[in-house]
């Protein structure tokens, strides 16, 4: 089990973002200490976090991401959805694909 800070580092997101995901029910911690309120995550939850980040990078809103995860949309279905929304010639990957860090040039 990872503390929220450790999990945030491994997932390359902020602790604040993880707290927000918990608050909206997008990514709940594996356990919460009843006495301290500390959140703990399992290593297996990194895959779910990575999928959330990838969907956000593709331009989906958090509400859409939540619906996609809840409905367990397959990769093929997701590709079909993206083809309807974004013509292949106009899609440009987010900047951090080149820099390795979100929000930085």
């Amino acid at each position: 089990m990872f503390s929220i800070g450790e999990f945030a580092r491994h997932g390359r997101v902020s602790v604040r973002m993880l707290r927000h995901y918990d608050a909206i029910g997008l990514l709940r911690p594996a356990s919460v200490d009843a006495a301290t309120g500390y959140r703990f995550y399992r290593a297996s939850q990194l895959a779910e976090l990575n999928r959330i980040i990838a969907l956000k990078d593709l331009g989906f809103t958090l509400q859409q991401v939540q619906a996609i995860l809840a409905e367990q949309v397959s990769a093929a279905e997701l590709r079909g959805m993206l083809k309807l929304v974004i013509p292949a010639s106009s899609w440009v990957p987010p900047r951090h694909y080149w820099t390795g860090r979100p929000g930085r040039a």
Side-chain angles (χ1 to χ4, degrees):
M1 295 281 260
F2 296 108
S3 70
I4 192 170
E6 292 168 329
F7 189 75
R9 278 190 298 281
H10 288 295
R12 304 182 97 187
V13 297
S14 68
V15 169
R16 182 178 174 200
M17 186 177 291
L18 289 174
R19 287 188 182 124
H20 179 65
Y21 290 171
D22 180 21
I24 64 172
L26 186 58
L27 181 64
R28 300 269 188 206
S31 68
V32 178
D33 186 289
T36 63
Y38 288 178
R39 296 167 173 92
F40 295 94
Y41 295 83
R42 289 191 177 99
S44 61
Q45 289 180 285
L46 280 171
E48 188 174 355
L49 177 61
N50 288 334
R51 186 164 182 170
I52 291 167
I53 293 166
L55 290 169
K56 278 182 48 189
D57 286 347
L58 289 171
F60 290 100
T61 67
L62 290 179
Q63 286 179 324
Q64 291 169 325
V65 169
Q66 201 163 21
I68 290 168
L69 294 177
E71 294 175 18
Q72 297 180 346
V73 175
S74 71
E77 291 171 315
L78 195 54
R79 274 191 295 276
M81 291 168 58
L82 288 170
K83 284 180 184 177
L84 292 173
V85 177
I86 305 171
S89 61
S90 67
W91 186 76
V92 177
R95 181 184 307 217
H96 71 269
Y97 280 19
W98 293 288
T99 64
R101 296 188 305 194
R104 306 229 192 262

